[in-house]
Amino acid sequence: MVEKGFFLKKFIFGSITRKLFLGLFELAFLVILVSAVSLFFRQVDFENHLVEQVEEAQNDFLTLETGDTIMLSAALETFLQNESFKEIYLEKDREKLFLFGQPLFQELKEKYGITHFYFILPDGRNFVRLHNKDIFGDQITRITLQKVMETGKEASGLELGKTAFALRVVKPYYDEGQLIGYVEFGQEIGHFLHALKENSNSQFYIIVEKKYFNHEDWSSVRESAGLQDNWDDLQAHLILSTTLLSSEPLESCFVSENVAAAEKKASIFKQVSKGGKSFACGGFPITDAGGNKVGVVFSLIDITETVNF
């Protein structure tokens, strides 16, 4: 009887132990599962928050584009009423027009950031660039000018030049109802990035594929502007503008698949680390005057404090 009682107690104790063990195991598994699910959803929420930041930067970019287009249009409309300029333009003395226009051009540049000022002949040939008198007589084939020539109405939008995007506004130029040419005001958009930076904890880059550029022209313009020739910094793309002046770009962000993704919609691609800091890499497309998605704005969001938390 004692032996049977001993084995009965041992069996009962073992059964209870197994049940406790299984219960603890199930509890531990449940805790791990809940933690994993919670971590997953926190990660999803974090990534969604990052995408929202990129989308917000994109909206700010479009707001800047709209606001500056209105400013350029108003400034150009005021200029077209200036009869003194019109008289000199009609003389077709390129040097005289260039010199006469310099004080106004410098004022527009300082006050409104206008970096491009063109007088264009009715057939689309450039007559005078007040920002560069050495280049003239070339046929202007930009989308904005083509739209004005076809419709007779103002056209505007972003267009890619030799080394930068420029926001352009073009209007027809009349004298007593007769078309005498076209006038264009434009501004490079690097300052957009600095405005975006002020509203965020991000650094920004404008990235475009090299296929749109000529290496010799690129190097020449960069040298004239006192800038380093960065043609070889990236394999297939060029950095046109950035808010980082003394820091190396995070090359692993600027790869073709990321550019392709950003050209479709605002996106977050990956997290990268450099110099003791962690960044989320994302971007959104730049749409030109023809509705083409040419280039992207890359956003490097500093997530160091979040990652280290």
Side-chain angles (χ1 to χ4, degrees), residues 12-28:
I12 294 173
F13 178 77
S15 178
I16 293 173
T17 301
R18 283 194 299 274
K19 288 182 179 179
L20 286 173
F21 176 78
L22 289 173
L24 290 173
F25 177 79
E26 290 174 354
L27 180 61

Coordinates of all heavy atoms in Angstrom, one line a residue, residues 12-28:
I12 N 0.8 11.9 -9.7 CA 0.1 13.2 -9.6 C 1.0 14.4 -9.6 O 0.7 15.4 -10.3 CB -0.8 13.2 -8.3 CG1 -1.8 12.1 -8.3 CG2 -1.4 14.5 -8.0 CD1 -2.6 11.9 -7.0
F13 N 2.1 14.3 -8.9 CA 3.1 15.4 -8.9 C 3.7 15.7 -10.2 O 3.8 16.8 -10.7 CB 4.2 15.1 -7.8 CG 5.3 16.2 -7.8 CD1 5.0 17.4 -7.1 CD2 6.5 16.0 -8.4 CE1 6.0 18.4 -7.1 CE2 7.4 17.0 -8.4 CZ 7.2 18.2 -7.7
G14 N 4.0 14.5 -10.9 CA 4.6 14.7 -12.3 C 3.6 15.3 -13.2 O 3.9 16.1 -14.1
S15 N 2.3 14.8 -13.1 CA 1.3 15.4 -14.0 C 1.1 16.9 -13.8 O 1.0 17.6 -14.7 CB 0.0 14.6 -13.7 OG -1.1 15.2 -14.5
I16 N 1.1 17.2 -12.5 CA 1.0 18.7 -12.2 C 2.2 19.5 -12.7 O 2.1 20.6 -13.3 CB 0.8 18.9 -10.7 CG1 -0.5 18.3 -10.2 CG2 0.9 20.4 -10.3 CD1 -0.7 18.3 -8.7
T17 N 3.4 18.9 -12.5 CA 4.6 19.5 -13.0 C 4.6 19.7 -14.5 O 4.9 20.8 -15.0 CB 5.8 18.7 -12.6 OG1 5.9 18.5 -11.2 CG2 7.1 19.4 -13.1
R18 N 4.1 18.7 -15.2 CA 4.1 18.8 -16.7 C 3.1 19.8 -17.1 O 3.3 20.6 -18.0 CB 3.7 17.4 -17.3 CG 4.8 16.4 -17.3 CD 4.5 15.2 -18.2 NE 3.3 14.5 -17.7 CZ 3.3 13.5 -16.8 NH1 4.5 13.2 -16.3 NH2 2.2 12.9 -16.5
K19 N 1.9 19.8 -16.4 CA 0.9 20.8 -16.7 C 1.4 22.3 -16.5 O 1.2 23.2 -17.2 CB -0.4 20.6 -15.9 CG -1.1 19.4 -16.4 CD -2.4 19.2 -15.6 CE -3.2 18.0 -16.1 NZ -4.4 17.8 -15.3
L20 N 2.1 22.4 -15.3 CA 2.7 23.7 -15.0 C 3.7 24.1 -16.1 O 3.8 25.3 -16.5 CB 3.4 23.7 -13.6 CG 2.4 23.7 -12.4 CD1 3.2 23.5 -11.1 CD2 1.7 25.1 -12.4
F21 N 4.6 23.1 -16.5 CA 5.6 23.4 -17.4 C 5.0 23.8 -18.8 O 5.4 24.8 -19.4 CB 6.5 22.2 -17.6 CG 7.5 22.3 -18.7 CD1 8.7 23.1 -18.5 CD2 7.3 21.7 -19.9 CE1 9.6 23.2 -19.5 CE2 8.3 21.9 -20.9 CZ 9.4 22.6 -20.7
L22 N 4.0 23.0 -19.2 CA 3.3 23.3 -20.4 C 2.6 24.7 -20.4 O 2.6 25.4 -21.3 CB 2.3 22.2 -20.8 CG 2.9 20.8 -21.2 CD1 1.8 19.8 -21.3 CD2 3.6 21.0 -22.5
G23 N 2.0 24.9 -19.2 CA 1.4 26.2 -19.0 C 2.3 27.4 -19.1 O 2.1 28.4 -19.8
L24 N 3.5 27.2 -18.4 CA 4.5 28.2 -18.5 C 5.1 28.4 -19.9 O 5.3 29.5 -20.4 CB 5.6 27.9 -17.5 CG 5.3 28.0 -16.0 CD1 6.4 27.5 -15.2 CD2 5.0 29.5 -15.7
F25 N 5.2 27.3 -20.6 CA 5.7 27.3 -22.0 C 4.7 28.0 -22.9 O 5.1 28.9 -23.7 CB 5.9 25.9 -22.5 CG 6.4 25.8 -23.9 CD1 7.7 26.1 -24.3 CD2 5.5 25.5 -24.9 CE1 8.1 26.0 -25.6 CE2 5.9 25.5 -26.2 CZ 7.2 25.7 -26.6
E26 N 3.4 27.7 -22.7 CA 2.4 28.4 -23.5 C 2.4 29.9 -23.2 O 2.2 30.7 -24.1 CB 1.1 27.7 -23.3 CG 1.0 26.3 -23.8 CD -0.4 25.6 -23.4 OE1 -1.1 26.3 -22.6 OE2 -0.6 24.5 -23.9
L27 N 2.5 30.2 -21.9 CA 2.5 31.6 -21.5 C 3.7 32.3 -22.1 O 3.6 33.4 -22.6 CB 2.5 31.7 -20.0 CG 2.5 33.1 -19.4 CD1 1.3 33.9 -19.9 CD2 2.7 33.1 -17.9
A28 N 4.9 31.7 -22.0 CA 6.1 32.3 -22.6 C 6.0 32.5 -24.1 O 6.3 33.5 -24.7 CB 7.3 31.5 -22.3

